[in-house]
Amino acid sequence: MAVHIRATAVVALALVAAVSAGCSGSGSHAGPAPTSPAAGSRAPAGGGRNNPAPAPTESNPPGDIPDNQAYVPYHPAGGIFTGYTVKVPEGWARTVQKDTTVFTDKLNTVRITAAAASAAPTVGSVTHTVVPRLRSQTSKFASPKVSEVRRHAGRVVLLTYQADSAKDPVTGKVVRDAFERYAYYRSGHEVDVTLSGPVNADNVDPWRIISDSFTWR
């Protein structure tokens, strides 16, 4: 009889231990499940560092020359021909390469080139010689138009066109530029004044001031 009582007590203790273990386990919490990437996530546009997207042409960048811009006379100190004067915007950076002088500020440029010429430029000569040359040398050359206009210096052949600028070394951007190229001629000398800036910039008045200011010396 005593053996039966001890066996019953052992079974009872085992049941109590099992119930206690089950209760303590039910209160435990598992750690957070690992988060998987969202199904709709994508790689960054442009193909990553090793395959960057090409720089687009900026069609509407800022480029207006201020209305209060001052102008100063410029005449070359040397080169193939120095017999002219033209007003340029004051304070613009200047670079000189042989018989070409360039003034730049932000996105706008004034380029002046002198050369010997056996005959005065005409609408036909610019159309058949200058336009093909620029087409082969200029990125995305388009919309050329050649005409004869009057300026204070007299008859001038005007070539207007559009082209892409060189890529900016800092931002990598490329600007769509509008060009006005004025060809002045006198006594075997031709001076070309090329004015350029963003296509949507309002530089009609500044370009008129410069092109009208050209005088022979």
Side-chain angles (χ1 to χ4, degrees), residues 65-74 86-92 103 105 110 206 209-210:
I65 298 173
D67 292 338
N68 62 351
Q69 173 67 57
Y71 298 84
V72 294
Y74 164 76
V86 60
K87 287 184 178 180
V88 297
E90 184 178 28
W92 286 23
F103 297 87
D105 181 70
V110 177
I209 290 172
I210 295 172

Side-chain angles (χ1 to χ4, degrees), residues 5-88:
I5 292 172
R6 288 195 296 270
T8 302
V10 170
V11 171
L13 290 173
L15 289 173
V16 171
V19 171
S20 299
C23 291
S24 62
S26 64
S28 63
H29 297 279
T35 303
S36 59
S41 62
R42 298 180 181 177
R49 294 182 179 179
N50 296 327
N51 186 27
T57 301
E58 298 289 315
S59 60
N60 191 26
D64 291 1
I65 298 173
D67 292 338
N68 62 351
Q69 173 67 57
Y71 298 84
V72 294
Y74 164 76
H75 56 266
I80 191 172
F81 181 63
T82 61
Y84 65 90
T85 300
V86 60
K87 287 184 178 180
V88 297

